[in-house]
Amino acid sequence: MPINLAKQIFCLHIIVWAIFFRCLGPDIGDLRRTAEGKNGLTPGTTLPAPVMVYPPVGYQTTSNILLLKTNSESNAVSYLFEALSGSTLLTTQTLTAPVVEGLLTIPAASYGTVTIRLSYLNSAGVRSPVISNNITYLDFSAGTLVKTVDFTTKSTCSSCALFFFAPCAPYSYNPLWPPIPPASNCPAFPNDDWTHCQTDSFVAEGNAWICAAAPEASMLANHNVLNTYHPANTGFEYNWLDISMNSSSYQMGHTAAATNEALIISCRMRKAAECGVGGKDTGVSFWYYPYRDANTTDNVQIASRDCSGTWTTLLTARVTAINQLGQAYTNKLNSRIDCLGDYFTAYYKSGSDYVPIAIAKDNIKNTGRTGWGFGPGHPTAAILHRVASFEWRHW
Amino acid sequence: MWRRYTRPPKGIPGVYWPEIRVAAGGYYLTKVNDFGAAGALALDFKLHKLLYPLTAFIETTFASRIQNANPDLISPNALLVFQIGIMYSVINGRIFSLALSANGGVIAYRVDENADGLYGIRPVMTIGLPLFWHWRKNGVDFHKFSFFAEPRSTVIMHREAKNLSAWPLLFEIRLGVRYAY
């Protein structure tokens, strides 16, 4: 066979295969894949404020949800949670003993001081107050939900605090949130090392962080707070009032990625007993891999996890910025997640612009993940956060 | 005894003009659980005067999606299928006849916004079972009009050729008319 003819046949073969496997377009039934600038969002434009998409009736009706827990009173018949703005009763929740946990849904609005009040009714028909706390609210649509706790009633609230899950950031991005204590004041974070988040306790008391390398027991003794988070716990130790909250734009510090790694988030966190979709130990994760070449390989992945531990990829994408910025210690990569109803959107920040990475449908309602992660809540306690926006920085 | 296809269809003697077949119906697409409306146009050619039950045809199908069951999946919002095939009439009654068709070709489809591209082309293979009802005038069959209903099943090739479970199936039901000159 003449060499030219062989070349022609070879080239034709390559062309045919190239057409067949690379130029035939997407396959029916595969996951749609978004990319930078897709989904109607153009890179280089400032991202508008998230549009609140409220959950369907029967699930949650607003975004402002408080988880309230109390200890079990021996002679309690029922518990009553109340939320008041001034003298206006916003919402109540009555729990029949021995149930000690409830959710208060606060209508989305601007409030001044909101008082959370908890009482119980004994078998003799006598109602006794359990605790009274003042919580300052802001309009969630303005980007911030819960800000501070006023401990003016501390005399009746001997042990109470706001707590945050994994508030491990070398500095506070949002001035509304208590700053992370500097290393000199906090032996738990000697080098602003995020790894201590996995072993140390921390709590926000008033507007300051309290942290210690010791277990939470010593914190209780030293700092007179009850609601602390410790990774060794299966959940929070709560005796009185226990509040989790949505957060907006708080950051999590992290060392530069040494290799491909996964960052875990969930828009909805609740521990449920049942297995299955929306059940126990399920969640949605947003992973990125800065050491993958975005020119040839998808380096962002969003996956869901069922309670058996099986991960299912919802979406993958190639994001050059993750590849370029995620590796470098000096190139900080800011990311952002908006949880909007059934969807969450991931962005990275370029200058002051938010560049969309991916949009994925979140069909997971609950998660009971343990280990480290971050999000507007903590991974083990029961809390629902259907609408949230938060942001973190990848060092 | 009367028997269908014992004489050539109408037309210029010795020249077998193609019959025209027009149909409309609906489809259901597996893997994405979408359904939509489809229309088809075909030309049927008699291959040989001694074998009138055998037909070769070329066919074009257009379909448009009505329901997109899962917007997270890639699914055609419109598709066009070009096929060639053969059809053999296995049961030939005076009023009804039943045929078996097999054809293959290419599907071209357009999908919703997707980073990998908006258009796809794939080979397809189809089998169908058209049931004809022949229109008669004064009880006489003219081989002119025939109405038919045809369930069809089309398999669409996937990029992962070895993973047959990934291949979508396009189920169709068609109602139409065939006209012979």
Side-chain angles (χ1 to χ4, degrees):
Chain A
M1 178 182 294
I3 188 66
N4 286 340
L5 182 58
K7 282 182 178 178
Q8 289 174 12
I9 292 176
F10 178 76
C11 291
L12 186 63
H13 172 265
I14 294 298
I15 291 171
V16 168
W17 278 97
I19 291 174
F20 206 78
F21 286 105
R22 297 188 62 86
C23 302
L24 293 186
D27 276 295
I28 296 170
D30 287 359
L31 280 170
R32 287 177 62 200
R33 207 178 66 165
T34 57
E36 294 179 50
K38 294 295 183 181
N39 290 288
L41 296 170
T42 304
T45 58
T46 300
L47 195 70
V51 177
M52 296 298 112
V53 180
Y54 291 119
V57 174
Y59 188 72
Q60 290 296 334
T61 55
T62 77
S63 59
N64 300 344
I65 303 162
L66 292 181
L67 172 69
L68 302 169
K69 294 178 181 179
T70 181
N71 63 322
S72 177
E73 298 286 348
S74 60
N75 58 349
V77 175
S78 64
Y79 301 95
L80 177 64
F81 293 108
E82 297 171 288
L84 301 95
S85 175
S87 60
T88 303
L89 189 63
L90 297 175
T91 183
T92 64
Q93 171 80 301
T94 301
L95 304 172
T96 301
V99 177
V100 295
E101 174 183 320
L103 293 171
L104 269 185
T105 302
I106 310 296
S110 295
Y111 299 113
T113 297
V114 173
T115 299
I116 305 296
R117 195 163 63 193
L118 173 59
S119 61
Y120 70 94
L121 198 66
N122 65 18
S123 57
V126 177
R127 181 168 296 283
S128 303
V130 175
I131 197 172
S132 181
N133 241 350
N134 290 328
I135 299 175
T136 301
Y137 264 76
L138 296 177
D139 185 358
F140 181 82
S141 63
T144 308
L145 180 59
V146 179
K147 190 176 70 171
T148 60
V149 165
D150 182 354
F151 287 95
T152 55
T153 58
K154 208 166 184 178
S155 58
T156 58
C157 172
S158 60
S159 301
C160 51
L162 285 177
F163 55 77
F164 302 84
F165 168 62
C168 304
Y171 72 92
S172 175
Y173 171 80
N174 189 328
L176 293 176
W177 292 82
I180 295 293
S184 57
N185 296 336
C186 187
F189 306 97
N191 299 308
D192 286 344
D193 185 353
W194 68 274
T195 58
H196 285 273
C197 296
Q198 300 177 72
T199 57
D200 298 330
S201 298
F202 34 78
V203 67
E205 186 179 29
N207 60 357
W209 286 108
I210 307 295
C211 56
E216 68 278 13
S218 65
M219 296 187 65
L220 300 182
N222 296 336
H223 303 292
N224 196 28
V225 293
L226 272 180
N227 303 308
T228 59
Y229 172 76
H230 190 276
N233 288 345
T234 55
F236 280 78
E237 302 260 342
Y238 38 80
N239 286 330
W240 301 95
L241 184 62
D242 191 359
I243 305 169
S244 287
M245 71 216 68
N246 284 347
S247 68
S248 175
S249 300
Y250 79 87
Q251 293 193 335
M252 178 178 179
H254 199 287
T255 52
T259 182
N260 293 319
E261 62 179 333
L263 297 180
I264 311 296
I265 69 103
S266 175
C267 286
R268 308 171 193 179
M269 293 184 166
R270 191 179 77 176
K271 191 167 188 175
E274 72 276 12
C275 188
V277 174
K280 180 184 177 184
D281 292 336
T282 59
V284 172
S285 288
F286 169 59
W287 302 28
Y288 60 62
Y289 302 87
Y291 278 77
R292 288 184 181 174
D293 183 358
N295 292 321
T296 57
T297 311
D298 290 1
N299 61 351
V300 168
Q301 179 180 5
I302 294 176
S304 66
R305 178 190 189 277
D306 65 22
C307 59
S308 66
T310 301
W311 287 97
T312 303
T313 298
L314 302 177
L315 177 151
T316 62
R318 297 177 184 180
V319 183
T320 306
I322 297 292
N323 189 214
Q324 294 174 340
L325 300 178
Q327 293 183 20
Y329 196 87
T330 54
N331 289 333
K332 300 176 180 64
L333 177 63
N334 280 38
S335 303
R336 165 175 164 172
I337 297 286
D338 284 348
C339 304
L340 301 174
D342 288 337
Y343 286 83
F344 62 89
T345 312
Y347 312 87
Y348 71 87
K349 198 172 183 180
S350 175
S352 59
D353 299 330
Y354 290 93
V355 182
I357 297 172
I359 294 176
K361 188 174 185 179
D362 181 3
N363 62 354
I364 305 299
K365 297 181 178 62
N366 315 301
T367 181
R369 282 189 61 79
T370 56
W372 73 281
F374 68 101
H378 61 81
T380 52
I383 188 65
L384 298 171
H385 292 291
R386 279 293 302 263
V387 182
S389 173
F390 55 98
E391 181 173 330
W392 75 96
R393 169 171 282 186
H394 192 270
W395 262 260
Chain B
M1 180 179 177
W2 187 90
R3 201 167 159 269
R4 180 164 297 281
Y5 300 127
T6 53
R7 60 179 178 81
K10 298 286 186 181
I12 300 173
V15 179
Y16 302 129
W17 286 92
E19 299 173 4
I20 296 176
R21 183 156 46 87
V22 180
Y27 76 83
Y28 170 78
L29 185 59
T30 64
K31 308 300 290 182
V32 291
N33 296 324
D34 290 351
F35 65 79
L41 181 65
L43 293 177
D44 293 342
F45 298 88
K46 296 299 178 186
L47 292 178
H48 195 276
K49 59 184 180 181
L50 296 179
L51 202 58
Y52 296 127
L54 183 64
T55 299
F57 62 86
I58 59 173
E59 185 181 87
T60 300
T61 304
F62 175 78
S64 180
R65 187 179 63 198
I66 295 176
Q67 173 181 291
N68 185 11
N70 186 348
D72 294 335
L73 300 179
I74 294 170
S75 98
N77 52 34
L79 57 88
L80 200 58
V81 185
F82 297 100
Q83 286 175 303
I84 61 173
I86 57 171
M87 177 162 38
Y88 188 79
S89 186
V90 292
I91 298 175
N92 301 301
R94 182 184 295 266
I95 302 174
F96 293 101
S97 64
L98 183 66
L100 182 65
S101 71
N103 45 314
V106 173
I107 183 173
Y109 49 86
R110 185 182 69 220
V111 304
D112 298 318
E113 181 179 4
N114 178 59
D116 293 327
L118 301 180
Y119 297 92
I121 300 174
R122 293 290 183 280
V124 293
M125 290 171 289
T126 301
I127 57 172
L129 205 64
L131 175 67
F132 289 92
W133 174 75
H134 304 286
W135 183 74
R136 293 165 300 156
K137 190 175 183 180
N138 298 324
V140 177
D141 176 56
F142 280 87
H143 282 202
K144 280 281 192 180
F145 280 108
S146 296
F147 301 94
F148 67 94
E150 181 185 14
R152 295 159 58 93
S153 176
T154 301
V155 60
I156 303 170
M157 189 179 178
H158 190 275
R159 191 179 300 251
E160 297 177 37
K162 293 181 179 178
N163 182 12
L164 294 180
S165 64
W167 292 32
L169 290 174
L170 183 71
F171 293 109
E172 283 180 82
I173 181 71
R174 289 181 180 176
L175 299 175
V177 60
R178 183 163 74 178
Y179 178 77
Y181 290 100

